[in-house]
Amino acid sequence: MKLTPEQVLTICKGDKEVASTVQFLLDQQAARIEQLEHRVHELERQLGSNSRNSSKPPSSDGLRKPTNLRTPGGKKGAPKGHRGTTRCQIEHPDEVVVLPLHTCPDCHNSLANAKRKTVEKRQVIELPPPSVFVTEFQAEKAYCTQCRCMQRASFPESVKAPVQYGDGWAAWTVYLHAYQLLPLERIARLFHDLTGCGPSEASLLAMLNKAS
């Protein structure tokens, strides 16, 4: 809505100098709005024109998405007669939580000595919290009186350091890096966030080189 000079003067409480400035700004704003509206109209006209409704060549149409000529409709989802798959309950769950029924929820009668008691089973499959498993190898040492030397039992060939990471870490590193394409920095952070124990990037790189 465009304001008249009298309305502007009323808004400015009769101050002609302020009204003159406000009127100037309003005129500038109106001119700018008109200019932008003309620009938007021109851009809409250019976007709507192609080789079919103007003299433009087909090459100027660009990579436009072709019109889908298929008729919409039809049923969605699995086809009729498709056998779905449902996860079956396991026979021996790791934990069983019994939910007792002491009283009848309708009449509040005691069910402690009820004769007909059965159970309805529902199972929840859950991922256990990640944790590390530490195996300690203790090689016995003994002094040989004949050789006069301190002898020691042999450690497994793969156990070479006082503390080291096992083959499971190497297997996960290869999977995350080669298949999931995670960089070594993110793999180290992932191990640390999940277990609180994260190999360095150098250790991860050594695992990859050994696996390759």
Side-chain angles (χ1 to χ4, degrees), residues 20-210:
S20 176
T21 302
V22 172
Q23 186 65 53
F24 174 76
L25 294 176
L26 290 175
D27 293 341
Q28 292 290 324
Q29 184 186 50
R32 182 58 175 168
I33 291 175
E34 184 179 358
Q35 180 183 5
L36 292 175
E37 288 179 346
H38 177 74
R39 179 60 176 166
V40 170
H41 178 73
E42 178 63 21
L43 291 175
E44 290 177 346
R45 186 192 64 80
Q46 293 179 8
L47 289 174
S49 63
N50 51 45
S51 60
R52 296 183 179 182
N53 56 19
S54 68
S55 59
K56 296 173 63 176
S59 59
S60 64
D61 289 345
L63 300 176
R64 295 181 181 271
K65 186 177 180 180
T67 303
N68 187 3
L69 300 179
R70 296 182 59 185
T71 303
K75 296 182 179 180
K76 297 182 179 179
K80 186 177 181 180
H82 174 73
R83 297 183 60 185
T85 57
T86 303
R87 179 86 182 178
C88 298
Q89 294 184 346
I90 63 175
E91 186 176 356
H92 301 291
D94 299 295
E95 180 183 10
V96 176
V97 179
V98 178
L99 306 174
L101 182 62
H102 299 294
T103 59
C104 175
D106 294 332
C107 65
H108 304 289
N109 179 50
S110 175
L111 298 177
N113 298 321
K115 295 182 179 180
R116 297 176 58 185
K117 278 191 174 182
T118 60
V119 295
E120 179 181 339
K121 299 179 181 180
R122 296 182 182 182
Q123 295 183 348
V124 177
I125 302 175
E126 187 59 271
L127 284 172
S131 62
V132 295
F133 186 86
V134 180
T135 301
E136 180 178 274
F137 295 88
Q138 297 180 352
E140 291 185 346
K141 299 176 69 175
Y143 181 77
C144 178
T145 56
Q146 184 169 346
C147 298
R148 297 183 180 182
C149 294
M150 181 65 71
Q151 302 293 346
R152 185 201 68 191
S154 299
F155 283 100
E157 186 177 357
S158 60
V159 180
K160 301 181 181 296
V163 178
Q164 66 183 65
Y165 295 99
D167 294 337
W169 293 86
W172 273 105
T173 300
V174 172
Y175 169 75
L176 294 173
H177 184 70
Y179 186 78
Q180 297 295 346
L181 304 179
L182 291 181
L184 296 181
E185 180 183 1
R186 291 184 60 185
I187 296 176
R189 172 57 59 183
L190 175 65
F191 283 151
H192 184 272
D193 291 343
L194 292 178
T195 66
C197 182
S200 65
E201 294 184 38
S203 298
L204 297 177
L205 183 59
M207 295 177 190
L208 292 175
N209 291 334
K210 180 181 179 181

